[in-house]
Amino acid sequence: MSVSRISTRAALAGGIALSSVVLLSGTAFAHVTVQPQGEAAKGGYATVNIKVPNERDNASTVKLEVNFPLDHPLASVMPQPVPGWKAEVTKSKLDKPLELHGKKINEAVSKVTWTADGSGIQPGFFQTFPLSLGQLPEDADQLVLKSIQTYSNKEVVRWIEEQKEGAEEPQNPAPVLKLSAASDDHHGGGTAPSATASAASGEKDGHDDKAGDHEKEAVASSSSSSDTTARILGVVGILVGVAGVAFGVLAGRRRSA
């Protein structure tokens, strides 16, 4: 087999591999997901975003339904207004009442439904739907928020498949909110007790110096990372250029022959 044929096949193989990576990456990021804004600690409160991409080229997303598990009920689920969308909160009665801030709660939010007032999420776009959640369970590591996405052409996609340990990701995985370890402040960013505040004030100067050192280290680390990335891209560019020149030379020799 001639060198030119080997080069041609190698180039084709590389192109196919790159295309596969791009296509698979696009598919992986096209799921409906839930992402916390900051920390989602056990026993605390959190603000999360339900991220909904439009996966269709000929239809818009016009409805989203997010379901909450009643085996770990949440007493408070409040949607933030989203322009162009109407939110409806549905509650269900609990078999075992919750106790929150000294009060018994007999029902919890079972789902939130957003319906588009206008064109919805058009092809090539995504939309986030913010929610305030609490009090998060203390006896769970995650919350599975099974969701249903409806398109303008009446197509319905059910994001309800749970990930099994050791198995490949399902085709339509349910959004999963990972919960971090419980923190001292269960309100997720509330004010600290006065004694703690006083101690923090007394040690302010020392902490400021340490913060400055950490900031310098972070900047240095970021610069180093950027330099490394730039070098890698530069090397890749050089290799691609060399391969192109070699291919051209070989092709020219073949034509001359």
Side-chain angles (χ1 to χ4, degrees), residues 27-29 31 33 161-164 166-174:
T27 302
F29 286 106
H31 303 333
T33 58
E161 300 177 53
E162 297 189 39
Q163 176 71 52
K164 295 181 180 180
E168 294 183 359
E169 184 183 53
Q171 183 176 357
N172 295 319

Side-chain angles (χ1 to χ4, degrees), residues 111-174:
K111 70 178 179 180
V112 177
T113 304
W114 288 270
T115 305
D117 290 336
S119 58
I121 308 171
Q122 299 182 35
F125 291 85
F126 75 91
Q127 177 67 55
T128 57
F129 299 88
L131 289 169
S132 175
L133 307 179
Q135 187 172 2
L136 297 174
E138 298 180 355
D139 58 347
D141 295 323
Q142 64 181 28
L143 290 177
V144 179
L145 308 181
K146 296 183 178 182
S147 304
I148 300 175
Q149 181 179 12
T150 303
Y151 287 91
S152 56
N153 60 1
K154 308 301 180 183
E155 180 185 1
V156 176
V157 181
R158 302 178 183 277
W159 303 96
I160 60 175
E161 300 177 53
E162 297 189 39
Q163 176 71 52
K164 295 181 180 180
E165 187 176 355
E168 294 183 359
E169 184 183 53
Q171 183 176 357
N172 295 319

Side-chain angles (χ1 to χ4, degrees), residues 191-215:
T191 56
S194 57
T196 304
S198 298
S201 177
E203 298 176 359
K204 181 177 184 299
D205 293 337
H207 286 308
D208 285 346
D209 292 340
K210 292 180 180 180
D213 293 338
H214 288 315
E215 183 177 0

Side-chain angles (χ1 to χ4, degrees), residues 16-177:
I16 293 172
L18 180 59
S19 300
S20 300
V21 170
V22 172
L23 289 174
L24 290 174
S25 299
T27 302
F29 286 106
H31 303 333
V32 172
T33 58
V34 55
Q35 303 166 341
Q37 295 182 17
E39 187 179 33
K42 298 179 182 179
Y45 293 78
T47 299
V48 303
N49 288 327
I50 308 295
K51 184 178 180 181
V52 183
N54 192 331
E55 295 185 304
R56 302 295 179 263
D57 297 328
N58 57 353
S60 298
T61 296
V62 295
K63 185 178 180 181
L64 175 70
E65 177 184 308
V66 177
N67 295 273
F68 296 87
L70 291 180
D71 56 342
H72 292 98
L74 301 175
S76 175
V77 176
M78 294 186 295
Q80 179 177 317
V82 177
W85 293 82
K86 178 183 177 182
E88 180 182 359
V89 178
T90 302
K91 295 184 177 182
S92 299
K93 289 188 177 182
L94 299 174
D95 295 332
K96 183 180 179 181
L98 286 174
E99 188 166 336
L100 185 66
H101 303 308
K103 296 182 180 180
K104 286 189 175 181
I105 299 175
N106 296 315
E107 60 181 12
V109 173
S110 56
K111 70 178 179 180
V112 177
T113 304
W114 288 270
T115 305
D117 290 336
S119 58
I121 308 171
Q122 299 182 35
F125 291 85
F126 75 91
Q127 177 67 55
T128 57
F129 299 88
L131 289 169
S132 175
L133 307 179
Q135 187 172 2
L136 297 174
E138 298 180 355
D139 58 347
D141 295 323
Q142 64 181 28
L143 290 177
V144 179
L145 308 181
K146 296 183 178 182
S147 304
I148 300 175
Q149 181 179 12
T150 303
Y151 287 91
S152 56
N153 60 1
K154 308 301 180 183
E155 180 185 1
V156 176
V157 181
R158 302 178 183 277
W159 303 96
I160 60 175
E161 300 177 53
E162 297 189 39
Q163 176 71 52
K164 295 181 180 180
E165 187 176 355
E168 294 183 359
E169 184 183 53
Q171 183 176 357
N172 295 319
V176 176
L177 176 63

Side-chain angles (χ1 to χ4, degrees), residues 185-233:
D185 178 15
H186 280 189
H187 290 279
T191 56
S194 57
T196 304
S198 298
S201 177
E203 298 176 359
K204 181 177 184 299
D205 293 337
H207 286 308
D208 285 346
D209 292 340
K210 292 180 180 180
D213 293 338
H214 288 315
E215 183 177 0
K216 292 177 181 178
E217 293 174 4
V219 170
S221 176
S222 177
S223 299
S224 177
S225 177
S226 298
D227 290 342
T228 301
T229 301
R231 290 173 183 175
I232 292 174
L233 292 176

